[in-house]
Amino acid sequence: MNTALESARQSGTSHEAANIQVRHRLTQASLYQIGDINAGQAAAVFASARSGLGALSHYPLSARLQELRKVRDLIFAEREAIVDQLVAETGKCRTDALVSEIMGVMDYCDWLLRKAPSILSDQKVATPLALLGKKSRIYHEALGIVLIISPWNYPFHIGVTSIFAALAAGNSVIYKPSELTPLHGLLERLFAVSPLLRSALQVVYGAGETAQQLIAQRPAKIFFTGSARTGKRLLAQAAPLLIPVELELGGKDAMLVFDDVNLARTVAGCLWGAMTNAGQSCTSVERVFVQRTIYDAFVRMLKSEAEKLVVNAGDAGDADIGAITADFQWEIIQQHIQDAVAKGARLVCGGESLGDTLFLMPTIVESVNDTMQIQTAETFGPVLTLTPFDTEEEAVQLANQGEFGLSASVWSKDLARADRVARLLEVGAVSINNVMLTEGNPNLPFGGARQSGFGRVKGAEGLLGMTRSKAVIIDKQSKKIEANWYPYTHAKYRLFGRFMAALFGKGIKRWFGFAVSGVALENEAQKPR
Amino acid sequence: MAEIYDYVIIGSGPSGSVLAHYLTQAGARCLMLEAGKEYAADTFPRNEMHANTQLMWNGGMDASRDASLLFLRGKVLGGGSIINQCLLDRFDDDALDDWAARSGIHDFSTVAMARHYDEVESHLALHTMTRADWNRNAELYVDGFERCGMQWAPLRRGQKDCGLGNDCMVCLGGCPRDSKQSMLVTFLRQARQQGLRVETGFEVGQVIHGARHVTVFGRQNGQSRQVYGRKCILAAGALGTTQLLLNSGLGDRLPALGQQFNCHPQLMNVALFDDFVDAHKGAFQAVKSNDPRFRKQGFKLENVFAGPIAMALLAPGYGLAHQRFMQQYRHMACIEVAVRDATPGAIAIDAQGRLKITKTMHDADWQRANAGLHAVDAIFGVLGAREIMKSPIRIGLHLMGGCVIGDNGRHSVVNPAFEVHDHPNLLIADSAIFPSAPGINPSLSIMALAHRASEVWLGSYQTPATTAPLMAEASL
Ligand SMILES: Cc1cc2nc3c(=O)[nH]c(=O)nc-3n(C[C@H](O)[C@H](O)[C@H](O)COP(=O)(O)OP(=O)(O)OC[C@H]3O[C@@H](n4cnc5c(N)ncnc54)[C@H](O)[C@@H]3O)c2cc1C
C-alpha cells in the first residue's frame, strides 16, 4: 500500500494551496483541487478539535452510538451515490465499491453498535485476596485527538471504520484521506446528520506535507494504513514526540493449496482473492503455492477462468476488474512484471494493459523465484504468481519467506493439516478454505506480523486500541492503616515473612497461617512505632 | 497491450457492414464479431435444408410463443443480406412521417433521408427488373393485377450480371455467382480492404458498459472470449440486439427495451393451374404491388415463390394427399400477402437468456391480412386457378424494433444520436431501432440509417491518443 507521504515525496509537492488536482480516474476529467496545509493551519485544526473534544467524550457511550446510527443509516440510504463517487475517484468496479467498501462499513458499524457497549463500558476486575475489601475497575477512556491517515485503495471503508471506532470511544478525530482519493466533502456531508459527531471530526485534505504538519501537532495516537516505507518514516517522526502509532502496512500474502481440494472452488477463490479491487488490497493473494500433484490442472483451470474476468469499471455492477487507482502503483506493477519476465518467469496470461487505459489484464506468472520483485515486493495489482511445492514443510517454508506477514490462506480438506499449517505461518490472519475472510468478521482483529505492521484494528482489540485504559481501585474511608505503610518494624517484617509463606507456599495448612498472620499484621499496623 | 478497438461491431448484416465501411474509411480501428460462419460463392450450402440449418439461427425456426409466427434470420457472415431477396426500396413519406411523429426526429423524411439513400445506393449495383426477367409466375401476377385494375410496378433488386434470365432460386441460400448485392460483395468487402478485422463463430453473450470502454463477452469455438472497444455497436438485428441488451441486464434501466417488435407477417398463397407455371425457374421475383389502396389498407402483395421444403410446409399432412400436392409443384403460382403490422409484439428472454417472442396477429392485423387475401382471391379467380390454398402458417422475415429510436427515454431505447439512452458507448443503428412497421422492404433503409449514424458518430470522432496512461499529469 502506498500513501500520502509517499506520493507527495515522489512528486515533490510544493507548499502552495490547492496544488493537487484530483481527477476522475476513468475519464481523467478534472474533479476538484486540494492543497497541503501549513503549520499554522495544522495548529488551527487541532485547536478546533480540542474545542470539540470535551463535547464528545462527555456524552455517554449510548448517546455516541445513537449518533453513529444516524450516520450509518445515511450511508445506507446514500449507498449508490457513494459508490458513484468511489468509482469516479478510484476507477474500481462498482461491485468492489459496493461490497467491499459500503457493505464492509455497514457490517462493521452494526457490530460496533452491538458490541461497543460491552467492550467500552467500565470493566470490573477481580481484586486479589491480599487486597481484601477493595474494588478494581478499568475505565476505557478516550485517547484525545487521534490522527487517522487512510490510503487510496479502500478510501471509504478504511477511513469510515476507523473513524467510527474512534468516535465510539469518545475521541476527537483528525482524518486525512489519501490525496489520490480524497472523496472531497463526502464524510463531512454524511456526518452532518449528527452535529455532535461532526464537531468531533475534522477532515483535512492534503498529501505527505499535510500529514507531517498534523503529526507535529502531537495527536494522542496515529492510526496509519499504507506502505511499509511510509510507515517507517511516519514512525520516525512520531518517535521523538512519543506518539504511539499503529501501523497497518503491506503484504505479500500467500495462498497454500494442497492436493485434496475442490479444484473449481479453489480456483475461483484464488482469482477473487488475487484480483478483487484489481489486486489493490493489502491482503490480496499475491503468491500462490500449489502442491505439485495438482499443479498443472490448477494452472490450466486458473488460466481459463482468468480469461473470463471482465476488465472494466462498468456502470451497472457487472464488471470484475476495475482500474489501477494510482499512477505510481501502475508503474510498480509493470516493473514487477517486466523484471520477472526478464529473469525468466513465464506469463500464463495477462501481463499487459488494456489499450491505453488504466486497466491491467489479469496476470498470472509462473517459474518465479526470490530474485524477482514480483515474488518479494508488494505488487498490489491484479497479478499472482504460481509456485509448485511437494511437502507441507516446504509449503510453510515458502510462504514464510520474505519480510511481510499480513495474512494467508490454507486450502485443504484435511482440517488438521490446515490448522497445523495455519499455526506455523508468521502472519496476522489465516483463512482456511477461504480467502480474505477474516476481514469479513468484525469480531476478529485485523493486523499483521513482521514488516506488515503492528497494532490491531477491528475486533474488541481494535476498538480498545482507540482507548487508554485507566486502572482504578476503590477502598473505603476508615481509620485503618495499611500493613505495608509505615512504620516498618521488626515485628511487621517477621509477620510479612509468615504471610508470604502462607500466600505463596505449599500445602493446605498454609491457609490457616494466612488468616493468623493476616490478622496479626493488621493489628500490628495500627500500632505506633 | 491488449487491443482496445475504436469500435467493436456485433453483427455483420446490412447495419454492421455498412457501419464498418464508413468507420474504417474514416480511419477507425474496428473489429466485427459474427456468430455465424463465413461462406463464399463456391461454399454456400447447395440445398434448401442446409441453407436453413447452416445460415440461419435455430435452423430458420425462431417462433413466437404461441407458434403462430415463424421468424427467419441469418446467422452467417453478411447476416440477412446473404439469405434475403435483396429487394431494395426506399421508404415513402407515409413510413417516414410516422417515424418522425413517433420518435420526435424530424429528419425522418424522404427529403432528409435522400442523401443517405443516394450514398449507400452508390455502392450497390441495382437492377430494375424488366419484362425480359419475368417468369410465368410474374406474368400471371401482372395479368391478374391488370384484369382486376390493381397497380403494379417492377421490382428493384441489388444484383450484378446475374446471368441469363436470373435463373436460380438458390440465392436465398447464398448467391453462388457473387451477383446478389449481399454485404459480402459490397460494404463488407470494402471495409475489410480498409482494415476491418472480422471474427466469425463469435457469439456475444453480454456487453458491459463502462465510462471509457465496453467489454464484449462471448464464446468462440467453445471458449470464453472477451474483446474491448471504446464504443460497441450492436448490429445483431432486431432479435439479436434486443436479446443482447436484455442479457446484459439493461432491462431495468431501459423501460422500452423489447417493445415495438414488428415483422411484416407474410401469408403465402398458392394457386394451382392446369398449365405448367414453373415458378421456380427464372427470376424468383420481378414485380410488386404498387396500389395506393393496398398501402392504405396496410398490406402488400408479393410476387414470390419458395423451394420445395417451404412449399411442403404449406400443405401439412401425410401420404397421398401430401404427395399429390407436391406433385403439382410445377403447376403452382404464388402470391404472398405481406402485412404492415398494426399491433406490435414484444421481445423478452427466459431465465436461460433465450428469446421469448410475443407476437400475435390481432384483429387490426387480420383486417389487413384479409384485405390482402381478398385481393389474392380476386386475382387468382380472374386467372382461372383450379384451386387456391391459403397459408396455414405465417412467417416474419423483416424483423424490426425492440430498441426503438426516439428522443424520449421512456418510450425509446436509442437516442437520436444512435446511442443507447444513458449508455453513450453502446450504439445501435440496425433493424432494432425501427419505431414502427414501414410496410416496405427494410434493408436499404437499414443501410441508409447506418450511414447517417456513422456521420453522427464521426462528427465527434477523434483519433484516440495512443500514448500510455496519463501518468505524468496525474502523479501529484
Ligand atoms: C428470406 C429473407 C428474405 C428477405 N428479403 C428481403 C428483401 O428482399 N429486401 C429487404 O429489404 N429485406 C429483406 N429481408 C430482411 C433483411 O434481410 C433484414 O431486415 C436485414 O438483414 C436486417 O439487417 P440487420 O443488419 O439489422 O440484421 P441482420 O442482417 O439480421 O444481421 C445481424 C447479424 O448479427 C449476428 N448476430 C446476432 N446475434 C449475435 C450475437 N449474439 N453475437 C454475434 N453475432 C450475432 C447474426 O448472426 C447476423 O449475421 C429478408 C429476410 C429474409 C430472412
Side-chain angles (χ1 to χ4, degrees):
Chain A
M1 229 174 265
N2 225 302
T3 64
L5 291 169
E6 206 153 276
S7 36
R9 161 163 302 193
Q10 284 188 352
S11 58
T13 308
S14 78
H15 292 246
E16 288 155 41
N19 54 347
I20 302 169
Q21 175 66 55
V22 179
R23 289 179 188 279
H24 191 295
R25 190 58 185 163
L26 299 170
T27 65
Q28 290 295 324
S30 148
L31 295 176
Y32 53 84
Q33 291 178 334
I34 57 170
D36 274 314
I37 59 166
N38 58 32
Q41 289 167 313
V45 167
F46 272 73
S48 89
R50 248 170 243 122
S51 68
L53 173 64
L56 191 59
S57 56
H58 291 154
Y59 274 79
L61 174 63
S62 60
R64 298 197 297 260
L65 294 179
Q66 208 179 327
E67 294 297 300
L68 278 173
R69 184 179 293 281
K70 294 183 189 163
V71 182
R72 170 228 183 260
D73 292 348
L74 186 61
I75 291 174
F76 182 67
E78 299 254 308
R79 60 190 182 277
E80 284 296 325
I82 301 172
V83 167
D84 286 341
Q85 197 170 351
L86 278 166
V87 172
E89 295 196 19
T90 62
K92 67 173 65 185
C93 70
R94 283 193 84 83
T95 306
D96 279 339
L98 182 74
V99 178
S100 302
E101 301 243 42
I102 315 271
M103 202 166 112
V105 162
M106 296 303 300
D107 253 354
Y108 180 73
C109 190
D110 283 1
W111 174 86
L112 192 67
L113 294 174
R114 240 186 0 262
K115 293 294 177 71
S118 59
I119 297 169
L120 292 180
S121 53
D122 297 349
Q123 202 179 330
K124 290 183 188 164
V125 291
T127 307
L129 220 45
L131 304 180
L132 204 67
K134 297 149 180 72
K135 290 182 192 132
S136 305
R137 301 277 185 274
I138 304 170
Y139 300 162
H140 301 295
E141 294 189 339
L143 290 162
I145 299 173
V146 300
L147 172 61
I148 297 171
I149 301 176
S150 80
W152 46 263
N153 62 336
Y154 291 108
F156 190 71
H157 180 181
I158 295 178
V160 173
T161 51
S162 314
I163 292 169
F164 272 10
L167 293 176
N171 295 289
S172 189
V173 176
I174 292 175
Y175 174 65
K176 193 202 85 65
S178 163
E179 74 280 17
L180 296 178
T181 54
L183 301 177
H184 193 264
L186 177 62
L187 297 195
E188 293 90 321
R189 190 163 59 77
L190 293 171
F191 278 87
V193 286
S194 162
L196 177 67
L197 296 183
R198 182 69 192 84
S199 71
L201 170 67
Q202 320 276 324
V203 184
V204 183
Y205 299 100
E209 172 67 22
T210 298
Q212 285 171 27
Q213 295 291 3
L214 293 171
I215 294 169
Q217 293 294 322
R218 293 176 179 260
K221 191 168 180 181
I222 303 169
F223 296 86
F224 170 79
T225 308
S227 74
R229 215 149 50 98
T230 313
K232 285 177 193 168
R233 256 201 322 270
L234 191 142
L235 198 56
Q237 196 196 344
L241 302 174
L242 273 182
I243 306 170
V245 178
E246 285 201 11
L247 299 175
E248 300 299 335
L249 309 177
K252 189 74 194 168
D253 292 0
M255 167 166 179
L256 279 59
V257 181
F258 289 93
D259 62 5
D260 55 353
V261 296
N262 175 304
L263 209 55
R265 173 181 160 81
T266 311
V267 160
C270 176
L271 277 179
W272 183 77
M275 309 299 174
T276 183
N277 215 38
Q280 303 164 110
S281 304
C282 37
T283 55
S284 64
V285 173
E286 299 218 350
R287 297 175 299 153
V288 182
F289 302 101
V290 184
Q291 201 151 25
R292 199 178 304 276
T293 35
I294 58 163
Y295 182 81
D296 289 340
F298 188 88
V299 175
R300 258 198 315 277
M301 194 185 282
L302 194 67
K303 175 180 155 69
S304 102
E305 291 304 307
E307 283 167 353
K308 292 180 192 163
L309 296 178
V310 170
V311 179
N312 204 328
D315 47 22
D318 51 356
D320 299 314
I321 303 185
I324 304 301
T325 301
D327 290 330
F328 59 82
Q329 199 64 49
W330 175 275
E331 279 174 349
I332 291 171
I333 300 167
Q334 299 279 0
Q335 196 205 319
H336 282 190
I337 295 171
Q338 280 157 23
D339 170 69
V341 170
K343 289 175 180 160
R346 194 182 80 83
L347 276 172
V348 175
C349 67
E352 53 187 1
S353 66
L354 172 58
D356 60 354
T357 66
L358 292 165
F359 293 83
L360 192 76
M361 305 306 285
T363 300
I364 300 173
V365 185
E366 65 175 357
S367 304
V368 291
N369 59 51
D370 282 353
T371 68
M372 302 172 182
Q373 288 168 309
I374 208 166
Q375 196 66 350
T376 55
E378 188 172 36
T379 307
F380 220 59
V383 178
L384 66 87
T385 69
L386 286 164
T387 308
F389 69 83
D390 290 301
T391 64
E392 191 176 318
E393 294 69 38
E394 191 191 355
V396 170
Q397 185 249 325
L398 283 167
N400 279 338
Q401 253 160 31
E403 54 182 11
F404 292 108
L406 194 50
S407 80
S409 64
V410 182
W411 302 70
S412 172
K413 197 173 165 189
D414 178 351
L415 289 179
R417 162 164 70 187
D419 184 68
R420 233 171 16 241
V421 171
R423 287 170 193 280
L424 291 173
L425 295 173
E426 295 172 41
V427 293
V430 180
S431 298
I432 292 175
N433 291 320
N434 212 308
V435 66
M436 292 178 76
L437 198 59
T438 56
E439 294 102 296
N441 180 356
N443 284 301
L444 291 172
F446 180 84
R450 307 200 282 185
Q451 298 283 301
S452 294
F454 44 73
R456 292 291 180 266
V457 293
K458 303 259 185 89
E461 210 176 326
L463 185 52
L464 290 173
M466 292 290 178
T467 66
R468 187 185 303 110
S469 27
K470 181 176 275 176
V472 177
I473 202 155
I474 305 154
D475 202 352
K476 290 182 290 290
Q477 259 311 317
S478 72
K479 57 183 197 309
K480 203 177 103 186
I481 307 294
E482 296 286 344
N484 59 320
W485 294 354
Y486 299 129
Y488 293 166
T489 63
H490 257 291
K492 267 195 192 172
Y493 191 84
R494 258 184 288 111
L495 284 169
F496 264 118
R498 268 192 247 153
F499 185 69
M500 282 174 67
L503 253 189
F504 307 117
K506 290 196 173 104
I508 197 81
K509 274 197 315 212
R510 68 195 171 96
W511 293 112
F512 178 68
F514 174 80
V516 172
S517 58
V519 171
L521 253 178
E522 236 169 62
N523 290 338
E524 192 62 28
Q526 311 312 319
K527 296 178 188 163
R529 183 180 281 276
Chain B
M1 208 161 77
E3 188 108 35
I4 177 158
Y5 291 90
D6 294 326
Y7 296 91
V8 171
I9 303 170
I10 305 166
S12 60
S15 168
S17 294
V18 170
L19 286 167
H21 164 62
Y22 290 108
L23 296 173
T24 52
Q25 191 181 48
R29 288 180 319 128
C30 299
L31 170 67
M32 175 180 278
L33 304 175
E34 168 55 53
K37 296 200 181 77
E38 176 165 7
Y39 290 88
D42 54 351
T43 59
F44 282 121
R46 275 288 145 269
N47 67 63
E48 203 187 342
M49 176 77 182
H50 288 150
N52 286 353
T53 55
Q54 292 172 20
L55 306 181
M56 292 188 208
W57 285 86
N58 309 318
M61 292 286 174
D62 284 311
S64 63
R65 290 168 78 189
D66 60 3
S68 66
L69 272 159
L70 286 182
F71 308 112
L72 269 61
R73 54 178 180 133
K75 181 185 184 180
V76 54
L77 188 67
S81 79
I82 300 297
I83 57 161
N84 72 11
Q85 242 306 84
C86 212
L87 305 175
L88 299 174
D89 296 321
R90 295 189 182 197
F91 286 179
D92 59 8
D93 282 324
D94 190 56
L96 288 171
D97 289 350
D98 184 51
W99 280 21
R102 287 170 186 267
S103 67
I105 300 172
H106 302 297
D107 275 0
F108 284 143
S109 70
T110 47
V111 177
M113 287 299 291
R115 199 166 57 76
H116 304 298
Y117 282 121
D118 289 346
E119 168 58 33
V120 293
E121 283 175 0
S122 76
H123 290 259
L124 298 163
L126 296 169
H127 173 74
T128 301
M129 295 291 186
T130 64
R131 235 199 133 84
D133 296 310
W134 294 3
N135 64 6
R136 182 73 189 130
N137 196 32
E139 279 171 16
L140 286 169
Y141 182 100
V142 172
D143 192 14
F145 262 64
E146 295 197 329
R147 288 210 233 164
C148 294
M150 298 167 181
Q151 292 179 35
W152 62 275
L155 275 177
R156 188 171 69 153
R157 186 164 187 262
Q159 68 177 51
K160 187 182 175 195
D161 307 328
C162 198
L164 263 187
N166 261 91
D167 61 348
C168 68
M169 197 167 65
V170 293
C171 67
L172 286 180
C175 175
R177 297 172 176 166
D178 276 348
S179 161
K180 185 169 80 175
Q181 298 289 283
S182 78
M183 292 301 117
L184 220 45
V185 298
T186 56
F187 289 96
L188 189 53
R189 178 181 284 170
Q190 287 164 329
R192 277 174 144 174
Q193 282 162 6
Q194 287 154 192
L196 172 73
R197 233 185 103 192
V198 176
E199 298 218 25
T200 55
F202 191 128
E203 185 170 344
V204 177
Q206 220 189 347
V207 292
I208 295 101
H209 183 264
R212 288 309 247 200
H213 71 272
V214 178
T215 306
V216 178
F217 191 93
R219 290 183 81 73
Q220 190 181 30
N221 308 322
Q223 293 274 333
S224 294
R225 279 207 51 198
Q226 44 191 306
V227 297
Y228 305 87
R230 281 171 214 293
K231 304 272 179 190
C232 172
I233 299 171
L234 290 92
L239 295 183
T241 291
T242 306
Q243 182 182 26
L244 208 43
L245 286 186
L246 287 167
N247 274 329
S248 300
L250 297 186
D252 304 344
R253 300 169 158 216
L254 301 167
L257 183 58
Q259 302 303 308
Q260 293 293 333
F261 171 62
N262 292 303
C263 69
H264 292 166
Q266 300 190 359
L267 300 87
M268 265 206 168
N269 305 286
V270 174
L272 298 176
F273 287 89
D274 290 335
D275 297 337
F276 283 143
V277 179
D278 282 341
H280 58 288
K281 290 206 170 138
F284 183 59
Q285 289 186 269
V287 287
K288 64 178 178 184
S289 63
N290 192 30
D291 198 304
R293 289 168 296 177
F294 292 3
R295 183 87 180 120
K296 252 210 187 83
Q297 291 178 81
F299 71 88
K300 259 183 8 172
L301 296 186
E302 307 277 15
N303 155 230
V304 74
F305 199 59
I309 293 181
M311 275 304 170
L313 282 176
L314 298 179
Y318 297 109
L320 225 50
H322 188 71
Q323 213 174 24
R324 275 205 201 102
F325 173 75
M326 289 310 289
Q327 258 166 3
Q328 305 186 68
Y329 189 70
R330 296 186 62 191
H331 296 270
M332 293 174 187
C334 177
I335 299 178
E336 197 177 61
V337 177
V339 177
R340 183 179 185 185
D341 315 48
T343 331
I347 304 166
I349 49 170
D350 66 14
Q352 279 73 46
R354 287 175 310 217
L355 280 170
K356 230 167 54 181
I357 305 165
T358 311
K359 176 78 180 154
T360 318
M361 286 187 53
H362 289 277
D363 186 47
D365 302 281
W366 276 116
Q367 283 180 27
R368 295 175 177 204
N370 287 332
L373 292 171
H374 277 125
V376 172
D377 273 341
I379 293 165
F380 283 143
V382 297
L383 292 171
R386 184 165 19 103
E387 194 181 329
I388 305 173
M389 304 176 61
K390 303 266 165 59
S391 171
I393 54 163
R394 290 163 294 281
I395 57 170
L397 304 180
H398 303 164
L399 311 181
M400 304 163 291
C403 304
V404 306
I405 192 166
D407 55 5
N408 175 321
R410 275 184 0 109
H411 303 299
S412 62
V413 171
V414 173
N415 71 22
F418 301 92
E419 296 166 351
V420 175
H421 290 300
D422 300 326
H423 296 76
N425 300 325
L426 294 181
L427 309 173
I428 307 180
D430 69 2
S431 45
I433 68 170
F434 280 28
S436 64
I440 300 174
N441 284 310
S443 62
L444 184 70
S445 299
I446 296 170
M447 295 184 227
L449 285 171
H451 174 254
R452 181 181 170 81
S454 74
E455 279 190 348
V456 173
W457 301 336
L458 291 167
S460 59
Y461 177 76
Q462 282 157 8
T463 313
T466 43
T467 45
L470 305 105
M471 208 65 78
E473 46 173 323
S475 258
L476 293 162

